[in-house]
Amino acid sequence: MDMLWWNDYKNIGFTIITNQLSVKSPREKCIAKLTDFEMNVRPLTPTLADIALRDLNETPERIQQDLHILREWIKKQRHLRARTSDQFLVAFLRRCHFSLEKTKKRIDNFFSYYNVFPEVFRNRSITSRIFDINRLGVHYYPEFPRCTDKSAILIARFGQFDPNRYNVREIFQFIMMAMEIISVENDYATVAGVSQILDLANITFENIKRFDRSIFERYWTWLEDCCPLRIKEVYVINAAKDIQFRIHMIKTLMKNQLAHPIRTVKSMEELYTHIPRSNLPEEYGGSNGHIGECVAYMEDLLHTYRQYFDEDTLYGCSEELRSGDIVSYEAEFGLNGSFRMLNFD
């Protein structure tokens, strides 16, 4: 057999079987190329590896194959300018339980949202203002501790910022940047999910009314449809009675739309039945670190990710180049505007 002829066909995914050509599946096509593919993904601890295999169908061999398939798919999307680093793509694969089609859709949604939420995704450089917001302790992730089910802990405290000094847009910009960083850096968060504590101390209904509803709705949609992190559960603490009532109403109205349970707990003792006391920061009655350490953890990450966010202008979506039928943003994301039907090969 002419070896030049063979190499030409081998490289485009054909194989010879009894003098016939058969087309390989996308997953099979990449296997021959994997010997030249050096994966740059942090190895999981044995405990997390067991969880990833059991809950996410993750194996090292599958990661290699799926990363290759995703990169090839991204190259073919004229409209899409997406990050392709290993750890970034793995976060999306884990969020979607290694379903390639769901992963493609979430990646496309993520970068399409640059157009839907320009107030947040434009100018995402890490400035002194971002560091100031982090130091408020509005939204932080203890590097340690973790829940007994190995999920990461996220604590949000919206009563920590003065709305006369910081607007809601920049608070949510910081929150979404921090979540993106954690999705790349924290294996506990991407594998076992995130358990969120929403601390509403110092929040009144008047404070809530000052929140920009449009920004909150788009943040919620981003969290559900675009974010590579999976929120497993939310525990609301220190909520005033009128706010508790409204949370209950929202939960009732949205019970079929919520991807995770939201529980309003009335005391710290009740919270400890869900998240062990010893796993919480000292400020919450725990014995495992304190908020200052959590803030310092994120501050270090923000310094590390300066270049990452400086390069953010390179990414996004050019909707005019997308192939497919046009549907509204409202139909796709529950928002106003126009959007083209997602088309995945």
Side-chain angles (χ1 to χ4, degrees):
M1 180 183 295
D2 186 328
M3 290 306 297
L4 179 60
W5 179 91
W6 163 246
N7 286 332
D8 287 342
Y9 278 90
K10 179 180 68 173
N11 290 336
I12 61 173
F14 287 89
T15 186
I16 304 296
I17 301 178
T18 62
N19 297 323
Q20 292 182 339
L21 290 176
S22 65
V23 180
K24 292 182 178 180
S25 70
R27 197 178 289 277
E28 291 171 327
K29 284 182 182 180
C30 75
I31 293 176
K33 299 182 181 180
L34 290 178
T35 55
D36 299 324
F37 177 73
E38 183 177 350
M39 190 168 62
N40 187 24
V41 177
R42 282 186 306 276
L44 297 175
T45 65
T47 300
L48 278 183
D50 289 343
I51 295 173
L53 176 61
R54 182 192 68 210
D55 296 345
L56 308 179
N57 305 311
E58 176 179 326
T59 64
E61 297 78 14
R62 182 165 190 171
I63 291 177
Q64 284 188 319
Q65 295 176 19
D66 287 359
L67 285 176
H68 181 83
I69 291 170
L70 284 177
R71 284 200 182 90
E72 292 301 307
W73 171 79
I74 289 170
K75 288 178 184 177
K76 296 176 182 178
Q77 310 309 306
R78 293 191 308 147
H79 67 286
L80 182 61
R81 305 185 306 280
R83 295 183 185 272
T84 57
S85 66
D86 289 352
Q87 207 70 56
F88 182 84
L89 294 179
V90 163
F92 282 88
L93 284 166
R94 288 172 176 162
R95 176 63 178 82
C96 299
H97 293 247
F98 281 79
S99 164
L100 278 171
E101 294 312 305
K102 289 181 180 179
T103 302
K104 291 175 184 178
K105 183 177 178 69
R106 186 165 287 266
I107 290 171
D108 196 296
N109 283 351
F110 183 89
F111 289 101
S112 297
Y113 228 65
Y114 279 47
N115 299 330
V116 178
F117 211 170
E119 306 97 307
V120 163
F121 282 100
R122 189 181 296 126
N123 300 324
R124 290 207 300 169
S125 295
I126 294 178
T127 63
S128 60
R129 188 78 166 172
I130 293 293
F131 284 106
D132 289 343
I133 293 172
N134 177 56
R135 291 164 189 160
L136 294 173
V138 171
H139 196 267
Y140 60 90
Y141 300 80
E143 183 179 14
F144 304 101
R146 304 181 180 97
C147 296
T148 51
D149 65 358
K150 304 304 177 185
S151 61
I153 297 175
L154 157 63
I155 301 176
R157 303 188 301 168
F158 290 107
Q160 291 299 112
F161 77 94
D162 181 353
N164 295 313
R165 293 189 59 191
Y166 301 93
N167 63 56
V168 174
R169 178 203 61 78
E170 58 186 345
I171 295 297
F172 276 101
Q173 183 180 57
F174 165 74
I175 288 172
M176 293 165 74
M177 290 169 70
M179 294 185 81
E180 188 171 339
I181 291 172
I182 291 296
S183 73
V184 179
E185 287 291 327
N186 192 315
D187 295 330
Y188 287 84
T190 58
V191 172
V194 175
S195 296
Q196 180 175 5
I197 298 171
L198 180 57
D199 186 349
L200 297 184
N202 303 320
I203 290 285
T204 67
F205 186 61
E206 288 301 316
N207 296 136
I208 291 178
K209 287 198 297 186
R210 295 183 65 174
F211 268 51
D212 186 318
R213 178 178 173 180
S214 171
I215 287 179
F216 181 78
E217 287 177 346
R218 281 179 288 172
Y219 164 74
W220 183 269
T221 302
W222 177 83
L223 191 64
E224 294 293 310
D225 297 337
C226 311
C227 179
L229 286 182
R230 175 172 57 94
I231 304 295
K232 293 181 63 175
E233 53 204 354
V234 176
Y235 300 100
V236 181
I237 64 174
N238 297 324
K241 287 186 178 180
D242 58 338
I243 296 178
Q244 288 184 34
F245 175 73
R246 285 167 175 81
I247 291 173
H248 177 73
M249 288 181 61
I250 292 171
K251 287 166 57 178
T252 301
L253 292 171
M254 299 180 64
K255 63 181 179 180
N256 295 325
Q257 302 176 39
L258 294 173
H260 49 264
I262 299 177
R263 298 184 175 93
T264 302
V265 297
K266 298 180 180 179
S267 67
M268 294 304 296
E269 293 301 323
E270 184 180 351
L271 177 65
Y272 300 151
T273 64
H274 300 285
I275 299 178
R277 180 173 185 161
S278 60
N279 289 359
L280 292 169
E282 294 173 6
E283 289 83 351
Y284 288 89
S287 57
N288 206 336
H290 54 81
I291 291 175
E293 292 173 334
C294 304
V295 170
Y297 168 56
M298 180 54 66
E299 180 136 347
D300 288 343
L301 289 175
L302 289 171
H303 281 293
T304 301
Y305 275 75
R306 276 186 182 275
Q307 182 176 348
Y308 176 97
F309 285 107
D310 284 344
E311 296 171 350
D312 205 49
T313 55
L314 300 174
Y315 304 104
C317 251
S318 299
E319 295 299 336
E320 68 277 8
L321 298 178
R322 185 192 294 272
S323 60
D325 299 327
I326 295 178
V327 297
S328 66
Y329 276 125
E330 188 172 8
E332 182 63 32
F333 288 119
L335 301 164
N336 294 324
S338 63
F339 200 71
R340 292 179 183 270
M341 181 77 73
L342 298 181
N343 184 17
F344 300 108
D345 298 325

